[in-house]
Amino acid sequence: MKAAVIHAPHDLRIDDIAPAVMGPGDVTVRVRVGGICGSDLHYFHHGGFGTIRIREAMILGHEIAGTVESVGANVTNVKPGDTVAVNPSLPCGHCRYCLAGQSHHCLDMRFYGSAMRFPHVQGGFREVLVCDASQAIPTSMAPDRAAFAEPLSVCLHAARQAGPLLGARVLITGAGPIGALCAMVARHAGAREIIATDLLDGPLAVMKRVAADEVFNTRENPTALEKYQADKGTFDVAFECSGAGPALVAALAVVRPGATIVQVGLGGDVTLPMNTVVAKEINLRGTFRFHEEFAWAVRFLETGALDVAPLLTEIVPLADAVRAFELATDRAKAMKVQLAF
Amino acid sequence: MKAAVIHAPHDLRIDDIAPAVMGPGDVTVRVRVGGICGSDLHYFHHGGFGTIRIREAMILGHEIAGTVESVGANVTNVKPGDTVAVNPSLPCGHCRYCLAGQSHHCLDMRFYGSAMRFPHVQGGFREVLVCDASQAIPTSMAPDRAAFAEPLSVCLHAARQAGPLLGARVLITGAGPIGALCAMVARHAGAREIIATDLLDGPLAVMKRVAADEVFNTRENPTALEKYQADKGTFDVAFECSGAGPALVAALAVVRPGATIVQVGLGGDVTLPMNTVVAKEINLRGTFRFHEEFAWAVRFLETGALDVAPLLTEIVPLADAVRAFELATDRAKAMKVQLAF
Amino acid sequence: MKAAVIHAPHDLRIDDIAPAVMGPGDVTVRVRVGGICGSDLHYFHHGGFGTIRIREAMILGHEIAGTVESVGANVTNVKPGDTVAVNPSLPCGHCRYCLAGQSHHCLDMRFYGSAMRFPHVQGGFREVLVCDASQAIPTSMAPDRAAFAEPLSVCLHAARQAGPLLGARVLITGAGPIGALCAMVARHAGAREIIATDLLDGPLAVMKRVAADEVFNTRENPTALEKYQADKGTFDVAFECSGAGPALVAALAVVRPGATIVQVGLGGDVTLPMNTVVAKEINLRGTFRFHEEFAWAVRFLETGALDVAPLLTEIVPLADAVRAFELATDRAKAMKVQLAF
Amino acid sequence: MKAAVIHAPHDLRIDDIAPAVMGPGDVTVRVRVGGICGSDLHYFHHGGFGTIRIREAMILGHEIAGTVESVGANVTNVKPGDTVAVNPSLPCGHCRYCLAGQSHHCLDMRFYGSAMRFPHVQGGFREVLVCDASQAIPTSMAPDRAAFAEPLSVCLHAARQAGPLLGARVLITGAGPIGALCAMVARHAGAREIIATDLLDGPLAVMKRVAADEVFNTRENPTALEKYQADKGTFDVAFECSGAGPALVAALAVVRPGATIVQVGLGGDVTLPMNTVVAKEINLRGTFRFHEEFAWAVRFLETGALDVAPLLTEIVPLADAVRAFELATDRAKAMKVQLAF
């Protein structure tokens, strides 16, 4: 069968791979679609991010949905023919973090398409995937929508780091797919006002359409946020989704004392005015992946509580994977790009 | 009467100043002792810190205790002869922060010996001080102990930013007076284990004596904390009291996922590995001054629940103020230095 | 001018009253509509509730909206002609609760149409009302919708007692106006599933329409909730809106360990199985009135984020006030009844 | 070997029982002492509590400490000769509560000396006990002190339900061993003021000695707490340790709005003025057993941070178990009674 395999920066190939063997607790899924994520793009362009680099060929992909083809003898939660959203996380279930309700910090996590451990955990951009039954979440919605469950989970988890959002005034910096989903989640969680910034008009237009009350292009209008600095700041919560240092520094200036800034985007080292963090008693928190939020995401998508259709730019056949990755890289044109298998 | 007035960096003078007039809600306090704080030292050496600089001569000092000399007609909480700890904060009482229980973020705060507003708020290093009755907290302890109420308040407030400390494993970086008081407060709040670091042995010895289970000189032994990195990290809470970037970066590496780091020390810009903040979901919070903790501090000192005697290096007569400031600057020799009036 | 005045149980009269005098910080409002609340009904039927009884004639009403007629010299937030929702709370602004961000516990609160203090605070069911400018919140919506701001505020405040609702499974017991608004708020705050119970089908049908996934008539089907007891319980949060003891006892049985039950409804003494509270570590909290949530309510109603139209049963002219109160009492027929002035 | 076995109310026998078999992950402990707990007394006097009754003979006891005699092949945490505190809880490790960091709510919990499941889980009042290695916590202190780890764990867990106690004003109702340990924990966690009540002077005298600032005999002086009702109430936190309804009702009256009352004591049904819970927005929470607090308890006892010596009334030989149970029942004379094996 075919899979999208990264061999080196800009060396993405459609390789033939051997099928996996299904155990009694496993499910065989015919993959229908797979969304391209920012980390897939980092592997594609740079071979990794931060200190993590690919050291062997690795199948990419962790935003996967498909149809159950067959199930192992012990599987009861899904049956052949079911559409499933595939949770890319497989925690060990017995380390100190798993037993503390924090399995996303599992000391022996297997997460699809990640080079964090070696041998790497192969990803889901392949025609057929064998996963643990716990990873297959049945759903009544179409696979192209179900494939949004993973990035939506990330944003639901991020929202929980912010505490209650009911009534909150929220800033979102970075209007890519994660920024847009964070804005939608903030709206869904009862935020009173949502303001978004980016350096490009394209994503901001989508942001305006799906969730934001007002958007600002801070490249064209660098002082747009100044009015929010009055009386020591305005926003109760900020989601920093760009991974860019200047966006975080800008957020520090416009949140109110005691506000929470959730750092969602990955970037690298950032130089922060710590005296502002101190004087305004800012609460700066990281957010990493997700846990029970995957099931919530499936439900919220299924019921239409969150409508992600405006975020889907194009579904590209696997054969054109390189074009799909290039399209996904062009933030002016693309929000979410999916591969079809 | 005499006061310790900063005119420019390294130009600290004992000036004669005019007495203040007491209103009906005021209290006249004969100042007995005043502790020299890190911010006093910043004014002394650099004329300020961050973007704040003295623009006119300013009396320093905000860790003040003394004896009530007389009281205005409306004053009921203290009477002549009472020993009082003086709270250096006078919030406006009606801005949005005052009405939200966050008067330490008051939009019109008057805080002794601070150049944050202009004209500057003159400080408490003077023979006689007229303050609002709400600032005078009566106490049965001696003034040299009562003058610790202010820095202890800062540390009690910092501890509250960390959430419950009962059972926590705590790291303290920076073993000056604030680090030592944070360690004592952490112990007082039920921390299970307290580890402290500094670049000098002198303050670490005091730290060991007053609260820490173990101390590390990270200049002499730069890899001392490495063992605490196991399994993604050890400490539930860290108090960064040095204001030094490398200490904060070191703390990020050894706290567990989901830990809280409270930034207490003021320094300036710090370059942070934000990917660590994200991947470990670290909660980095600032803490600024204090609020109702001042009354708590007076009580904890008075009952002996916290014994600050080991932190008092020397009480120096006002006439030798310059020597006192120089001694307070020498971290190898001095913990807390007080002026006597 | 005319006002709806309660003199004794079942003695509600339309009296002529003298107009109030407007001070420089006041606003004169021509009242358009006033919603009848459960506490108004308690005064009407019983002359009070709990230990509180009317001891003099009292104008009822605290869910008020109208049009600004004139403003005092110092008023800047509204102008003649503005539609306003009127916040019935006027806290003192300087007691310990006001300065702690808890002005709804103000030691000297003036709340319209309440017999908690004597002389009673006269209410808003009158043709013209003079209120403090801080109580008049301008809005672009019609008065009949704006008059929902008060009960919605109560429910927003109740929701905050529950902590974050994003992803929560929620039980609502009692499907009157407050139950329905709590359900709508829970949905608005991202609840994953909402189940409601009542003893009557009429309110449950409205509940189903506005927010609930499933509703149960527990008079007709007393074992309907049993399935939710599996594995020590299901619901993360319950809002007890009936004020009836059996509903609270039923909720204890079906919430999960560690769940929060918010008691919203007022009833009286309730006999609770405290061993269940202990063994399941249940968090049972009261909620009382509201604070900054009034401004949120106005915004959520104005933007249509919450659509209360299905809750409005009838708008009755002031002259028919007694019929309006009788209609509002009939839970099988009425949800919210408003008086028109 | 000998064990203290309850056969029916007031039918406690010293029976000969067969030794258990040790598996590769088990530890054989020669029991030295076992503390008599309130639930042991309930079994002794009433054959159970609430809906739980003994349905077969059951060895009592779950406050156990002893010496390791031998260990299974896979055991690494302890070795023969070690003194150990024995954690009476053995959760399943894979149910939804175990994986959520709430193993004390495990759906398949095995807890020593408990009739909650059938066959009952036999207890620790026996000469030799075979337990899972995870239950054996090595310690350097003497067994009679180590046997306090279990009740202290309960109180540490209770304290965590109250949120941060630093600076809090705390009320303890009920001055038995659990009340006394809660008071000690509150002090250890930084409470500012601790007031205790009981109906007997004996336990109150101990309470005063170990932790309380002031104690009141509310049988002799029923209005003693009235002064704490001023301004809507005084205490930030209350621990209700008596299990008596009137104590809980009294606490409701004297805590401040927004306070937390932790129900620790088991009693039965209590009639509560829910309107007070509502109007004061009281947070009433149950607390049940403990989790990671057992390890904390061992450490706090070992380091002497908490000195439980004043709570130990007498150590009685196993042969005199009936006398020991009768002594433990007499609250006027006994605080904690231990059996020696």
Side-chain angles (χ1 to χ4, degrees):
Chain A
M1 66 167 151
K2 304 290 188 196
V5 181
I6 189 79
H7 288 258
H10 292 284
D11 182 6
L12 178 71
R13 305 181 202 165
I14 309 304
D15 290 345
D16 268 304
I17 61 163
V21 178
M22 184 176 74
D26 291 341
V27 171
T28 299
V29 176
R30 182 150 293 269
V31 177
R32 299 296 173 195
V33 299
I36 298 173
C37 166
S39 68
D40 296 317
L41 294 175
H42 271 96
Y43 286 120
F44 177 70
H45 289 289
H46 312 295
F49 45 91
T51 57
I52 298 160
R53 297 290 140 179
I54 48 168
R55 294 156 60 194
E56 61 178 339
M58 182 176 80
I59 306 176
L60 292 175
H62 54 270
E63 303 181 358
I64 304 298
T67 311
V68 173
E69 210 163 72
S70 57
V71 304
N74 301 339
V75 174
T76 57
N77 62 322
V78 291
K79 59 181 191 308
D82 284 356
T83 298
V84 289
V86 178
N87 184 335
S89 327
L90 188 59
C92 76
H94 46 72
C95 73
R96 65 187 260 213
Y97 296 108
C98 283
L99 291 175
Q102 301 178 300
S103 65
H104 56 299
H105 292 299
C106 171
L107 293 172
D108 194 25
M109 172 64 90
R110 298 183 62 81
F111 192 95
Y112 286 151
S114 165
M116 287 180 95
R117 54 193 289 165
F118 187 84
H120 302 334
V121 184
Q122 298 295 318
F125 285 167
R126 57 170 96 191
E127 289 174 318
V128 178
L129 178 71
V130 173
C131 66
D132 189 83
S134 67
Q135 299 178 270
I137 312 300
T139 174
S140 58
M141 66 186 146
D144 60 339
R145 202 193 293 174
F148 275 92
E150 201 274 347
L152 178 55
S153 305
V154 169
C155 298
L156 288 165
H157 187 75
R160 294 177 86 191
Q161 312 310 310
L165 288 163
L166 182 62
R169 303 182 73 177
V170 174
L171 173 70
I172 314 268
T173 54
I178 290 294
L181 287 168
C182 280
M184 291 171 72
V185 167
R187 180 67 74 203
H188 184 58
R192 187 164 36 130
E193 184 179 0
I194 299 176
I195 303 298
T197 64
D198 199 296
L199 305 179
L200 291 172
D201 286 337
L204 286 173
V206 177
M207 188 62 115
K208 188 81 192 282
R209 182 171 160 206
V210 297
D213 293 294
E214 220 174 337
V215 298
F216 297 104
N217 183 321
T218 46
R219 175 173 287 154
E220 289 173 11
N221 184 3
T223 60
L225 294 185
E226 269 179 17
K227 63 180 171 179
Y228 297 105
Q229 294 185 20
D231 285 357
K232 301 197 179 184
T234 296
F235 299 102
D236 303 299
V237 172
F239 293 97
E240 203 304 283
C241 301
S242 73
L248 178 52
V249 172
L252 287 171
V254 294
V255 296
R256 64 159 172 78
T260 297
I261 301 179
V262 182
Q263 180 68 40
V264 191
L266 284 166
D269 289 5
V270 173
T271 300
L272 285 185
M274 287 303 293
N275 288 357
T276 301
V277 172
V278 168
K280 290 174 71 172
E281 297 192 313
I282 286 168
N283 189 0
L284 173 60
R285 322 186 58 146
T287 185
F288 184 63
R289 292 181 181 163
F290 50 85
H291 184 204
E292 69 261 47
E293 297 89 356
F294 194 84
W296 304 2
V298 171
R299 181 167 167 88
F300 287 141
L301 290 167
E302 204 171 63
T303 62
L306 290 169
D307 176 14
V308 293
L311 305 187
L312 182 54
T313 305
E314 190 180 335
I315 305 181
V316 177
L318 174 60
D320 295 340
V322 170
R323 181 177 75 78
F325 272 69
E326 281 164 358
L327 173 59
T329 303
D330 184 352
R331 297 189 64 241
K333 288 190 191 152
M335 197 50 101
K336 178 59 72 180
V337 177
Q338 292 180 343
L339 292 175
F341 296 85
Chain B
M1 67 169 151
K2 304 288 186 195
V5 181
I6 188 79
H7 288 258
H10 292 285
D11 181 6
L12 178 71
R13 305 182 201 164
I14 310 304
D15 290 345
D16 269 304
I17 61 164
V21 178
M22 184 176 74
D26 291 340
V27 172
T28 299
V29 176
R30 181 150 294 272
V31 176
R32 298 296 174 197
V33 298
I36 298 174
C37 166
S39 67
D40 295 318
L41 293 175
H42 272 95
Y43 287 119
F44 176 69
H45 288 288
H46 313 296
F49 46 90
T51 57
I52 298 160
R53 296 290 140 178
I54 46 167
R55 295 157 59 196
E56 60 177 340
M58 183 177 79
I59 305 175
L60 291 175
H62 54 271
E63 304 182 357
I64 303 298
T67 312
V68 174
E69 212 166 69
S70 58
V71 303
N74 302 337
V75 174
T76 57
N77 63 320
V78 291
K79 59 181 191 307
D82 284 355
T83 299
V84 289
V86 178
N87 184 335
S89 328
L90 187 60
C92 76
H94 46 73
C95 73
R96 64 187 261 213
Y97 296 107
C98 283
L99 290 175
Q102 300 178 301
S103 64
H104 55 300
H105 293 300
C106 171
L107 294 172
D108 194 27
M109 171 66 89
R110 297 182 63 81
F111 192 94
Y112 286 151
S114 165
M116 287 179 95
R117 55 192 290 165
F118 187 84
H120 303 335
V121 184
Q122 298 295 319
F125 285 167
R126 58 171 92 191
E127 290 174 318
V128 178
L129 177 71
V130 174
C131 66
D132 188 84
S134 66
Q135 298 178 271
I137 313 299
T139 175
S140 58
M141 65 187 147
D144 60 340
R145 202 195 291 173
F148 275 93
E150 201 274 346
L152 178 54
S153 305
V154 168
C155 299
L156 287 165
H157 187 76
R160 294 177 87 192
Q161 311 310 310
L165 288 162
L166 181 63
R169 303 182 72 178
V170 174
L171 173 69
I172 313 267
T173 54
I178 289 293
L181 287 169
C182 279
M184 291 172 72
V185 167
R187 181 66 76 205
H188 183 58
R192 187 165 36 129
E193 184 179 359
I194 299 174
I195 303 298
T197 65
D198 199 299
L199 304 180
L200 292 172
D201 286 338
L204 286 172
V206 178
M207 188 65 115
K208 189 82 192 284
R209 181 171 163 208
V210 295
D213 293 293
E214 218 174 338
V215 299
F216 297 104
N217 182 322
T218 47
R219 173 174 286 157
E220 288 173 11
N221 184 0
T223 61
L225 294 185
E226 268 179 16
K227 64 179 171 178
Y228 296 105
Q229 294 184 21
D231 287 355
K232 302 198 178 183
T234 296
F235 299 102
D236 303 300
V237 172
F239 293 96
E240 204 302 284
C241 302
S242 74
L248 177 52
V249 173
L252 286 170
V254 296
V255 296
R256 65 159 172 79
T260 297
I261 302 178
V262 182
Q263 180 68 40
V264 190
L266 284 166
D269 289 3
V270 173
T271 300
L272 285 184
M274 286 303 294
N275 288 356
T276 301
V277 172
V278 168
K280 291 174 72 171
E281 297 191 315
I282 286 168
N283 189 0
L284 174 59
R285 321 185 60 147
T287 185
F288 184 64
R289 294 181 180 161
F290 51 84
H291 183 202
E292 68 262 47
E293 297 88 357
F294 194 85
W296 305 3
V298 171
R299 181 166 167 89
F300 288 141
L301 290 167
E302 201 171 64
T303 62
L306 291 168
D307 176 15
V308 293
L311 305 189
L312 182 53
T313 304
E314 190 180 335
I315 304 180
V316 178
L318 175 61
D320 294 340
V322 170
R323 182 177 75 77
F325 273 69
E326 280 162 1
L327 173 59
T329 303
D330 184 352
R331 297 190 63 241
K333 289 191 191 151
M335 197 51 103
K336 177 62 69 184
V337 177
Q338 292 179 344
L339 292 175
F341 296 85
Chain C
M1 66 169 150
K2 305 286 185 196
V5 181
I6 189 80
H7 288 257
H10 292 286
D11 182 6
L12 178 71
R13 305 182 201 163
I14 308 304
D15 291 345
D16 267 305
I17 60 163
V21 178
M22 184 176 72
D26 291 340
V27 172
T28 299
V29 176
R30 181 150 293 269
V31 176
R32 298 296 173 195
V33 297
I36 299 174
C37 166
S39 67
D40 295 317
L41 293 175
H42 272 94
Y43 287 120
F44 176 70
H45 288 289
H46 313 296
F49 46 90
T51 57
I52 298 160
R53 297 288 140 180
I54 47 167
R55 295 158 58 196
E56 61 177 339
M58 182 176 80
I59 305 176
L60 293 175
H62 54 270
E63 304 182 357
I64 304 298
T67 311
V68 174
E69 212 165 69
S70 57
V71 303
N74 301 339
V75 174
T76 57
N77 63 322
V78 291
K79 61 180 189 309
D82 284 355
T83 298
V84 288
V86 178
N87 184 335
S89 329
L90 187 60
C92 77
H94 46 72
C95 73
R96 66 188 257 216
Y97 297 107
C98 283
L99 290 175
Q102 299 177 302
S103 64
H104 54 301
H105 293 299
C106 172
L107 293 172
D108 194 25
M109 171 66 89
R110 298 183 62 81
F111 192 93
Y112 286 151
S114 165
M116 289 179 93
R117 56 192 287 165
F118 186 85
H120 303 335
V121 183
Q122 299 294 320
F125 286 167
R126 59 170 94 191
E127 291 174 318
V128 176
L129 178 71
V130 173
C131 66
D132 189 84
S134 66
Q135 298 178 269
I137 312 299
T139 175
S140 58
M141 65 186 147
D144 60 340
R145 201 192 293 172
F148 275 93
E150 201 276 347
L152 179 54
S153 305
V154 169
C155 299
L156 288 165
H157 187 74
R160 295 177 86 191
Q161 311 310 311
L165 288 163
L166 182 62
R169 301 181 74 177
V170 174
L171 173 69
I172 314 267
T173 53
I178 289 294
L181 287 169
C182 278
M184 291 171 72
V185 167
R187 180 67 74 204
H188 184 59
R192 186 163 39 126
E193 184 180 358
I194 299 174
I195 303 298
T197 65
D198 199 298
L199 304 179
L200 291 173
D201 285 338
L204 285 172
V206 177
M207 189 64 115
K208 188 81 192 283
R209 182 171 162 207
V210 297
D213 292 294
E214 219 173 337
V215 298
F216 297 104
N217 182 321
T218 47
R219 174 173 287 155
E220 290 173 11
N221 183 2
T223 61
L225 293 185
E226 269 180 15
K227 63 181 171 179
Y228 297 106
Q229 294 184 20
D231 287 357
K232 302 198 178 183
T234 296
F235 299 102
D236 303 300
V237 172
F239 293 96
E240 204 303 283
C241 301
S242 74
L248 177 53
V249 172
L252 287 169
V254 295
V255 297
R256 64 160 173 76
T260 297
I261 301 179
V262 182
Q263 180 69 40
V264 191
L266 284 166
D269 288 5
V270 174
T271 301
L272 284 185
M274 287 303 293
N275 287 357
T276 302
V277 172
V278 168
K280 291 173 71 171
E281 297 191 313
I282 286 168
N283 189 359
L284 173 60
R285 322 185 59 143
T287 185
F288 185 64
R289 293 183 180 162
F290 50 85
H291 184 200
E292 69 262 46
E293 297 88 355
F294 194 86
W296 304 3
V298 171
R299 179 166 168 89
F300 288 142
L301 290 167
E302 201 170 64
T303 62
L306 290 168
D307 176 14
V308 293
L311 304 188
L312 181 54
T313 304
E314 190 181 333
I315 304 180
V316 177
L318 174 60
D320 296 339
V322 171
R323 181 177 75 77
F325 273 70
E326 281 163 0
L327 173 60
T329 303
D330 184 353
R331 296 190 64 243
K333 289 190 191 151
M335 198 51 105
K336 178 59 72 184
V337 177
Q338 292 179 344
L339 292 175
F341 296 84
Chain D
M1 65 167 152
K2 305 288 187 197
V5 180
I6 188 80
H7 288 258
H10 291 284
D11 181 6
L12 179 70
R13 305 181 202 165
I14 309 305
D15 291 345
D16 268 305
I17 61 163
V21 179
M22 184 176 74
D26 290 341
V27 171
T28 299
V29 176
R30 181 149 294 270
V31 176
R32 298 296 173 197
V33 297
I36 298 174
C37 166
S39 67
D40 295 318
L41 294 175
H42 272 96
Y43 287 120
F44 177 69
H45 289 288
H46 313 295
F49 46 89
T51 58
I52 298 160
R53 297 289 140 179
I54 48 167
R55 295 157 59 195
E56 61 178 339
M58 183 176 79
I59 306 175
L60 291 175
H62 55 268
E63 303 183 357
I64 304 299
T67 312
V68 174
E69 209 164 73
S70 59
V71 303
N74 301 338
V75 174
T76 56
N77 62 321
V78 290
K79 59 180 190 309
D82 284 355
T83 298
V84 288
V86 178
N87 183 335
S89 329
L90 188 58
C92 77
H94 46 72
C95 74
R96 63 186 261 214
Y97 297 107
C98 283
L99 291 175
Q102 300 177 300
S103 65
H104 55 301
H105 293 299
C106 173
L107 293 172
D108 194 26
M109 171 64 89
R110 297 183 63 79
F111 191 94
Y112 286 151
S114 165
M116 287 180 94
R117 55 192 289 165
F118 187 85
H120 302 334
V121 183
Q122 298 295 320
F125 285 167
R126 57 171 93 192
E127 291 174 319
V128 177
L129 178 72
V130 174
C131 66
D132 189 83
S134 66
Q135 299 178 269
I137 312 300
T139 175
S140 58
M141 66 186 146
D144 60 340
R145 201 194 294 175
F148 275 93
E150 201 274 347
L152 178 54
S153 305
V154 168
C155 298
L156 288 165
H157 187 74
R160 294 177 86 192
Q161 312 311 310
L165 288 162
L166 181 62
R169 303 181 73 177
V170 175
L171 172 70
I172 314 267
T173 54
I178 290 294
L181 287 168
C182 279
M184 290 171 72
V185 167
R187 179 68 73 205
H188 183 58
R192 187 164 37 128
E193 183 179 0
I194 298 175
I195 304 298
T197 65
D198 200 296
L199 305 180
L200 292 171
D201 285 338
L204 286 172
V206 178
M207 189 63 115
K208 188 82 193 283
R209 180 170 163 209
V210 298
D213 292 294
E214 218 173 338
V215 298
F216 297 104
N217 183 322
T218 48
R219 173 173 287 156
E220 290 173 10
N221 183 3
T223 60
L225 293 185
E226 269 179 16
K227 64 179 170 178
Y228 296 106
Q229 294 183 21
D231 286 356
K232 303 197 179 184
T234 296
F235 299 102
D236 303 300
V237 172
F239 293 96
E240 203 303 284
C241 300
S242 73
L248 178 52
V249 173
L252 287 170
V254 296
V255 297
R256 65 158 171 78
T260 296
I261 301 178
V262 182
Q263 180 68 40
V264 190
L266 284 166
D269 289 4
V270 174
T271 299
L272 285 185
M274 287 302 294
N275 287 357
T276 301
V277 172
V278 168
K280 290 173 72 171
E281 298 193 312
I282 286 168
N283 188 0
L284 174 60
R285 323 185 57 146
T287 184
F288 185 63
R289 293 182 180 163
F290 50 85
H291 183 203
E292 68 262 46
E293 296 89 356
F294 194 85
W296 305 2
V298 171
R299 180 166 168 89
F300 288 141
L301 290 166
E302 202 170 65
T303 61
L306 290 168
D307 176 15
V308 293
L311 305 188
L312 183 53
T313 304
E314 189 180 336
I315 303 180
V316 178
L318 175 60
D320 295 340
V322 170
R323 182 177 75 78
F325 273 68
E326 281 163 359
L327 173 60
T329 302
D330 184 352
R331 298 189 62 241
K333 290 189 189 151
M335 197 51 103
K336 177 60 73 183
V337 177
Q338 291 180 344
L339 292 175
F341 296 85

